[in-house]
Amino acid sequence: MSSQAVVIKKSKLLNEEARLAYILLAPAVIVLVAFMFYPIIYVFLMSFFDTDKLGRLRSFAAFKNYKVLFQTKDFWTITGRSILWTVIGVTTKTLFGLIIALLLNIEYRGRKFARMLFIIPWASAVPISAMLWQWVYNPEFGLLNFTLQATGIWKNPPIWLGQPISAFFACMWVDIWIGIPFMSLVFLAGMQAIPNELYESAYIDGVNSFQKFFYITLPGITELIMIATLLSSLWTFNDFNVIYILTKGGPGGATDILITSVYKNGFEWLKFNIASVMAVVTFLILAIVSIVYAKIYFGRERK
Amino acid sequence: MKKLKRFLLIAILLALLPGFIFAGGQKEKPKVTFFWALYDGLTEDFRASLQDAFMKANPDIDLDIVPVPWKNMHDKITTSLAGGNPPEISVIGTRWLLELMGMNAVDEVSKYVSKSTLDNIAPGAMEAKINGKLMGLPVAAGARIMAINSSITTFVPKTMEELRQEAIRVNNPPNVYGLIMPGKKHTELTDFAYYLLAAGGYFFEIKPDGSYGKCTVNSPAGVKALTFMNQLANVDKVVQKGYLSMNRMESHPVFYAGKAAYVFIGAWVESAMKQAKSNFKPIYAQIPPFKGNKSTPLIITDSIAFFKDAKNLKAAGKFIDFFYQDKWKAKFDELVGFPPVTISASKLPQFQTPLYKTLGEAALNAKGWPLMDGWAEYSDIIWDAVQNVFLQKQTPKEALDEAAAKIDKARGM
């Protein structure tokens, strides 16, 4: 067989393979377009229209909905709170995740069991975890206040979900508690991929534990930290379940963030146009964060 | 490659084959979906046995009674309507009816429910009759009353002021609280409503033609009511610990546990206490008015609505006729504790107790929620005002002025 014939047969084969690939990919593409892109486009459209109580488009409103929302003081408070919620939540999850990953990376008896225990909060359904914490925080029958009082640590503990500041941090803690295992597991996987020889050489050179962490471990998992914190930022910003179950945004709106406000405006008050403007703002904030992350990440890769 | 394609095609056909055979071989039964509100006291056994009994009696109809917690019901209905997949029937708060009618979502009940069932409904319960058309079938109607833990006190206050004095006297936290006050937002604005009505106020001005005028929650009666609530909670501190973090469902168990002297509650109190295994005997009385006012309890009615865009409304009507027989509806009333809305059930011996007597008296002077579009948003605004006062962010006057202004603005007034 001539070399030309081989090339023709190969390209035909590639075409056929490509066609098959398109056929196999088609259902997934259709599903994505129908269930992801269409709703996103529709939300964008709704934000520029007056809508009825079922979210159907009525008349073109240009930027009226945006103007109405941006003139509301509550909107800016809620947006600021959402950013604060995300920054504190992700930072804490990252720090705790790192510490726990370091502890799980050390050789000791029962390490497997410890690793299994740390997965439980992440493996449980979020609503179940939130409901469990709702009972833990209960001022009358809850485990937390009972323990604090019984042990004498805090004679008059706060009513965790009853005051604005404590409710905000109580909700945040539940979100952190649920999110830590993911961070720990990702960091742990990264740590285990670092060649052991690096640590052995460092040991021979008399390097201490802190130096090992800052000069070997941390640089070794920096890219993973970036990806994990980006994902965690997206999830934390959109964490609806914990707040909705624990406080429904209360007391007095103190735990309302953009995503709970979108739900309230849309499905409780049936103001789908305003809810969609909020959803668009959420989308834009998260898109900006993702682009900045991507730029830094790929910039590092090129270096 | 061709072989692979052929293999894939055959595999897809084989996968679809059972579906075609099933679809072709069986005539699909009409399916009725019913969003079933989870009232306090209602058991899963009852729901399941009602569903099974109906399907046994009507093998040609498939019935799915979907239990939905009350706090999620409004959202569940809205999302199902927005998604174009409403249930055939659902329990609704009658106060949502105008909103649903505004969406053109509900249909007239009398088109689907038999005359004999409708004739058996007490005329006074037909709150959902709008412009002469019955748009919701009454399922539960009950005025709110006061329950007293007789092991703490037997004093029945005649005024709010007397109630406060007695609550202060018996209050001995954390063992005994004067009274229950839910401070966390929940579906209904009941708690502020009790005090507002007791002070002679209402949410809106009612014009001579029956339509609603401006919001009046900031009237002297409204301010008096909220000032009094704040006094009980933050000055006298006679309410349950952590009241701001407890909604109705979370705070009432404190009363059932025997730790509070007074609670403003609904007809479900007896069955809920039975379920909680309460070990004290309650006394039932009217929610007292403020001195110089007349007793005006809150009455809440719920209805069953038929959704226009659902497919099997006739079959749903058949189910309602089945459910509204005394065998099932009276049992339902007994479990949830509401006085029966059907004439035949109201004559049954189990509804002749002191609780039902008190509920009956309360209904005579009771007022209901405003029947208006947008009430969900307005009640939320009032809730925020109440919470801001509890959190001492605003005075009652400031908070209610702001709430009234917001509501009027939202209504374009």
Side-chain angles (χ1 to χ4, degrees):
Chain A
M1 194 187 285
S2 73
S3 64
Q4 203 182 358
V6 171
V7 171
I8 290 167
K9 198 173 177 190
K10 217 174 181 180
S11 73
K12 202 180 164 192
L13 187 74
L14 271 175
N15 281 340
E16 278 188 0
E17 269 186 7
R19 271 207 297 274
L20 180 66
Y22 288 132
I23 292 169
L24 292 175
L25 275 173
V29 172
I30 291 166
V31 167
L32 268 178
V33 169
F35 294 105
M36 280 197 72
F37 294 115
Y38 171 71
I40 290 173
I41 291 164
Y42 194 75
V43 166
F44 269 94
L45 270 179
M46 272 204 291
S47 72
F48 293 105
F49 277 79
D50 283 327
T51 53
D52 69 5
K53 288 185 181 296
L54 288 176
R56 290 175 296 213
L57 308 181
R58 284 293 171 248
S59 56
F60 184 64
F63 286 95
K64 191 187 90 186
N65 298 328
Y66 286 85
K67 208 175 145 192
V68 168
L69 189 68
F70 292 162
Q71 282 172 350
T72 317
K73 195 182 143 202
D74 283 354
F75 167 72
W76 295 107
T77 314
I78 289 168
T79 307
R81 191 181 296 122
S82 309
I83 294 169
L84 184 72
W85 163 268
T86 310
V87 170
I88 300 178
V90 174
T91 311
T92 317
K93 278 184 243 184
T94 309
L95 284 176
F96 273 96
L98 259 179
I99 295 167
I100 291 166
L102 283 170
L103 292 175
L104 294 178
N105 200 30
I106 304 166
E107 291 271 356
Y108 56 91
R109 241 178 115 185
R111 186 171 70 158
K112 276 187 184 166
F113 182 67
R115 283 180 181 177
M116 199 181 71
L117 275 184
F118 275 105
I119 295 173
I120 290 174
W122 196 53
S124 317
V126 176
I128 291 172
S129 299
M131 285 165 84
L132 185 130
W133 276 96
Q134 192 175 26
W135 277 107
V136 171
Y137 287 139
N138 187 297
E140 192 65 38
F141 312 109
L143 188 68
L144 180 60
N145 279 7
F146 174 79
T147 311
L148 290 172
Q149 284 170 322
T151 52
I153 294 171
W154 204 337
K155 277 192 178 164
N156 286 309
I159 306 305
W160 297 101
L161 300 177
Q163 294 293 330
I165 295 174
S166 60
F168 181 77
F169 285 103
C171 287
M172 180 168 282
W173 169 248
V174 179
D175 174 73
I176 290 168
W177 183 82
I178 293 166
I180 287 173
F182 169 76
M183 294 295 217
S184 310
L185 285 179
V186 171
F187 299 156
L188 181 63
M191 284 174 193
Q192 290 188 334
I194 297 171
N196 218 21
E197 293 80 30
L198 290 177
Y199 291 107
E200 283 166 4
S201 315
Y203 176 75
I204 292 164
D205 291 342
V207 169
N208 66 29
S209 300
F210 282 102
Q211 286 169 321
K212 269 190 218 165
F213 175 72
F214 283 108
Y215 294 108
I216 302 173
T217 312
L218 207 51
I221 60 166
T222 306
E223 281 178 7
L224 273 178
I225 291 177
M226 290 194 67
I227 293 167
T229 48
L230 172 64
L231 285 174
S232 180
S233 303
L234 304 183
W235 293 334
T236 308
F237 201 88
N238 282 328
D239 187 1
F240 171 79
N241 289 315
V242 169
I243 291 178
Y244 190 74
I245 290 168
L246 288 179
T247 61
K248 270 194 122 182
T255 54
D256 223 0
I257 60 171
L258 271 173
I259 197 74
T260 52
S261 213
V262 168
Y263 181 83
K264 190 161 69 180
N265 273 279
F267 295 106
E268 290 183 3
W269 299 353
L270 310 178
K271 291 180 169 179
F272 285 98
N273 49 350
I274 298 295
S276 56
V277 176
M278 288 184 146
V280 169
V281 171
T282 307
F283 179 83
L284 291 178
I285 292 173
L286 295 180
I288 290 167
V289 172
S290 306
I291 290 167
V292 170
Y293 256 85
K295 276 208 154 189
I296 299 170
Y297 182 80
F298 291 116
R300 279 175 58 87
E301 252 193 358
R302 272 195 291 273
K303 280 177 197 171
Chain B
M1 194 65 204
K2 274 185 182 172
K3 269 185 185 173
L4 181 63
K5 271 188 188 171
R6 204 174 297 149
F7 172 75
L8 274 172
L9 194 68
I10 292 168
I12 291 167
L13 283 176
L14 280 174
L16 292 174
L17 207 56
F20 285 127
I21 292 166
F22 186 76
Q26 284 204 356
K27 199 185 159 199
E28 207 178 311
K29 286 198 280 184
K31 187 180 176 188
V32 173
T33 304
F34 179 23
F35 287 175
W36 173 260
L38 286 175
Y39 289 93
D40 296 357
L42 208 54
T43 60
E44 168 56 21
D45 277 356
F46 179 74
R47 187 201 66 81
S49 56
L50 172 64
Q51 184 173 284
D52 293 346
F54 176 76
M55 288 205 287
K56 200 174 170 192
N58 298 273
D60 54 330
I61 299 174
D62 212 355
L63 174 68
D64 187 12
I65 302 181
V66 183
V68 182
W70 247 124
K71 62 178 181 179
N72 299 336
M73 185 57 100
H74 182 265
D75 305 355
K76 174 97 177 161
I77 293 171
T78 315
T79 45
S80 70
L81 284 168
N85 188 25
E88 269 66 23
I89 44 176
S90 173
V91 173
I92 61 162
T94 308
R95 57 204 171 276
W96 306 337
L97 200 55
L98 285 195
E99 190 176 82
L100 293 169
M101 286 173 71
M103 297 178 198
N104 197 24
V106 289
D107 209 350
E108 217 178 317
V109 171
S110 42
K111 283 186 186 171
Y112 310 107
V113 176
S114 73
K115 191 174 178 301
S116 59
T117 300
L118 293 177
D119 287 347
N120 192 28
I121 307 279
M126 299 286 204
E127 195 193 349
K129 203 173 232 179
I130 294 163
N131 299 327
K133 290 179 178 175
L134 187 66
M135 302 307 290
L137 185 72
V139 66
R144 295 294 159 90
I145 55 166
M146 179 169 65
I148 305 165
N149 181 335
S150 62
S151 65
I152 298 173
T153 178
T154 53
F155 179 71
V156 180
K158 294 278 178 289
T159 62
M160 280 287 180
E161 291 79 2
E162 282 181 12
L163 170 71
R164 180 177 162 234
Q165 289 309 319
E166 185 62 3
I168 293 171
R169 191 186 72 76
V170 300
N171 191 49
N172 180 27
N175 302 318
V176 173
Y177 301 106
L179 88 160
I180 296 297
M181 173 92 72
K184 181 172 155 188
K185 204 182 276 187
H186 56 99
T187 327
E188 292 168 335
L189 185 64
T190 43
D191 309 283
F192 174 67
Y194 300 145
Y195 294 93
L196 175 69
L197 296 177
Y202 196 60
F203 300 99
F204 295 95
E205 167 201 354
I206 297 175
K207 292 181 179 173
D209 65 353
S211 63
Y212 294 107
K214 284 195 160 192
C215 178
T216 53
V217 283
N218 58 339
S219 65
V223 175
K224 184 179 181 179
L226 189 49
T227 307
F228 187 78
M229 289 169 79
N230 186 45
Q231 189 162 28
L232 292 172
N234 287 332
V235 181
D236 303 331
K237 296 183 193 299
V238 291
V239 305
Q240 84 281 3
K241 192 170 79 176
Y243 74 100
L244 265 170
S245 67
M246 294 164 111
N247 61 23
R248 188 185 88 188
M249 305 292 274
E250 289 153 350
S251 59
H252 284 184
V254 179
F255 178 80
Y256 306 148
K259 294 182 74 174
Y262 298 98
V263 65
F264 299 158
I265 202 163
W268 65 87
V269 57
E270 220 158 62
S271 57
M273 282 178 62
K274 206 185 278 176
Q275 283 184 13
K277 297 188 170 54
S278 303
N279 56 4
F280 62 91
K281 206 172 172 312
I283 298 168
Y284 302 115
Q286 302 304 322
I287 294 175
F290 282 93
K291 205 172 170 185
N293 290 97
K294 67 171 192 168
S295 171
T296 314
L298 175 73
I299 189 162
I300 293 178
T301 65
D302 301 326
S303 305
I304 293 176
F306 283 68
F307 290 91
K308 259 183 189 169
D309 290 341
K311 287 176 198 149
N312 301 308
L313 293 176
K314 282 205 169 147
K318 213 168 177 184
F319 164 68
I320 291 296
D321 286 334
F322 181 86
F323 176 39
Y324 271 62
Q325 299 171 88
D326 282 352
K327 184 186 172 191
W328 296 104
K329 187 64 176 70
K331 181 71 189 164
F332 170 90
D333 294 330
E334 217 181 326
L335 284 171
V336 300
F338 282 108
V341 291
T342 53
I343 296 163
S344 54
S346 64
K347 291 173 187 158
L348 296 170
Q350 62 265 42
F351 298 113
Q352 318 303 324
T353 64
L355 171 65
Y356 289 103
K357 196 170 162 272
T358 313
L359 287 165
E361 283 166 12
L364 295 175
N365 303 312
K367 272 190 178 173
W369 295 117
L371 263 183
M372 61 163 43
D373 199 4
W375 175 241
E377 181 184 355
Y378 311 145
S379 67
D380 216 49
I381 292 171
I382 302 169
W383 248 122
D384 282 340
V386 172
Q387 285 192 320
N388 281 341
V389 171
F390 283 154
L391 292 168
Q392 288 158 31
K393 284 183 179 173
Q394 285 176 305
T395 65
K397 177 92 177 93
E398 285 166 359
L400 292 173
D401 277 348
E402 196 181 297
K406 266 189 190 173
I407 293 168
D408 287 341
K409 193 179 167 196
R411 293 178 66 217
M413 297 191 113

